[in-house]
Amino acid sequence: MRKKLEKIKLRRVKPEELNDRLLLINLYFTQGLTLVLSLIIMLFQWRNPLKLLRIPSDLDFVWWGLGLAGVAFVVDLVLSRVISESTMDDGGINEMLFRKRPVWHIIIIAVIVAICEEMLFRGAIQHSIGPYWTSILFAVIHVRYLRHWIPTAWVFASSYGLGYIYLASGTLWAPILCHFLIDLISGLVIRFRREP
């Protein structure tokens, strides 16, 4: 067993080396890992994740989620008009993930990513270190954007906004809704965008 483990070598994989199956395995594995990590952190914080995910009786969180998602889309639209597409390039990962994906699967991906990432970053990490440092960590985790400062800054700002609406609304469902809408609409735009 030990010899088998010693033979495993980690290396950076280029997007063009990934096929659809490997991309999905990587996506679902990392999201599962994200969820497990969030539950472990919450366990050490003596917090109940089920309580954190309780849907509030008032629906004010919907306005927080919709509002930030709307702001995010306006800023994204302005950025896409002002800067070159190569500056916002993520190495083709989003294109590979969403371009030929059925709509039902885009919805599932958006739901899973929104819940898992918000549980970890807003639900667990932000509770310990606050929205600023959480947003720095969130930007670093989105490593595919780190080659250019504009998308890295945009990921940081988006994360800080998600942290803010979590605090302002008092529920994790506001950032989950916002994150879901951003991923869903971005995925659908890529899916239905005409080829150049």
Side-chain angles (χ1 to χ4, degrees), residues 98-107 188 191:
F98 296 118
R99 185 68 176 150
K100 296 179 181 174
R101 191 84 43 220
V103 172
W104 66 266
H105 201 170
I106 293 173
I107 294 168
L188 291 175
R191 171 69 175 81

Side-chain angles (χ1 to χ4, degrees), residues 95-145:
E95 184 77 21
M96 288 175 58
L97 186 60
F98 296 118
R99 185 68 176 150
K100 296 179 181 174
R101 191 84 43 220
V103 172
W104 66 266
H105 201 170
I106 293 173
I107 294 168
I108 288 172
I109 290 170
V111 167
I112 289 172
V113 169
I115 291 172
C116 292
E117 290 188 4
E118 293 310 312
M119 285 280 292
L120 177 62
F121 288 98
R122 258 47 69 185
I125 295 174
Q126 181 171 311
H127 182 76
S128 294
I129 63 175
Y132 177 78
W133 292 106
T134 299
S135 298
I136 288 178
L137 185 59
F138 190 79
V140 169
I141 293 296
H142 287 78
V143 67
R144 64 186 190 265
Y145 296 110

Side-chain angles (χ1 to χ4, degrees), residues 6-18:
E6 288 174 355
K7 289 181 181 179
I8 295 174
K9 294 189 183 207
L10 295 176
R11 68 177 180 87
R12 186 175 178 170
V13 177
K14 296 177 182 171
E16 57 271 8
E17 294 178 294
L18 289 172

Side-chain angles (χ1 to χ4, degrees), residues 16-181:
E16 57 271 8
E17 294 178 294
L18 289 172
N19 61 31
D20 192 56
R21 183 173 176 270
L22 283 175
L23 184 65
L24 288 177
I25 287 170
N26 183 47
L27 172 76
Y28 288 122
F29 175 76
T30 56
Q31 293 307 308
L33 194 61
T34 300
L35 183 61
V36 168
L37 189 57
S38 70
L39 295 174
I40 291 170
I41 292 170
M42 286 181 202
L43 179 70
F44 282 103
Q45 294 171 337
W46 296 96
R47 297 172 67 223
N48 182 349
L50 295 176
K51 192 174 181 183
L52 192 64
L53 287 173
R54 187 180 310 131
I55 298 177
S57 56
D58 67 346
L59 297 178
D60 288 347
F61 75 92
V62 172
W63 297 114
W64 285 104
L66 289 173
L68 183 59
V71 168
F73 286 119
V74 169
V75 170
D76 203 318
L77 181 65
V78 169
L79 285 176
S80 70
R81 302 282 184 215
V82 174
I83 61 175
S84 69
E85 191 173 322
S86 64
T87 303
M88 294 299 279
D89 182 32
D90 70 340
I93 297 293
N94 287 340
E95 184 77 21
M96 288 175 58
L97 186 60
F98 296 118
R99 185 68 176 150
K100 296 179 181 174
R101 191 84 43 220
V103 172
W104 66 266
H105 201 170
I106 293 173
I107 294 168
I108 288 172
I109 290 170
V111 167
I112 289 172
V113 169
I115 291 172
C116 292
E117 290 188 4
E118 293 310 312
M119 285 280 292
L120 177 62
F121 288 98
R122 258 47 69 185
I125 295 174
Q126 181 171 311
H127 182 76
S128 294
I129 63 175
Y132 177 78
W133 292 106
T134 299
S135 298
I136 288 178
L137 185 59
F138 190 79
V140 169
I141 293 296
H142 287 78
V143 67
R144 64 186 190 265
Y145 296 110
L146 291 177
R147 291 177 290 148
H148 302 289
W149 70 269
I150 293 176
T152 301
W154 179 228
V155 170
F156 171 84
S158 301
S159 175
Y160 197 84
L162 290 167
Y164 175 79
I165 67 170
Y166 172 48
L167 294 174
S169 68
T171 177
L172 194 59
W173 285 105
I176 288 173
L177 175 62
C178 181
H179 198 147
F180 165 74
L181 290 172

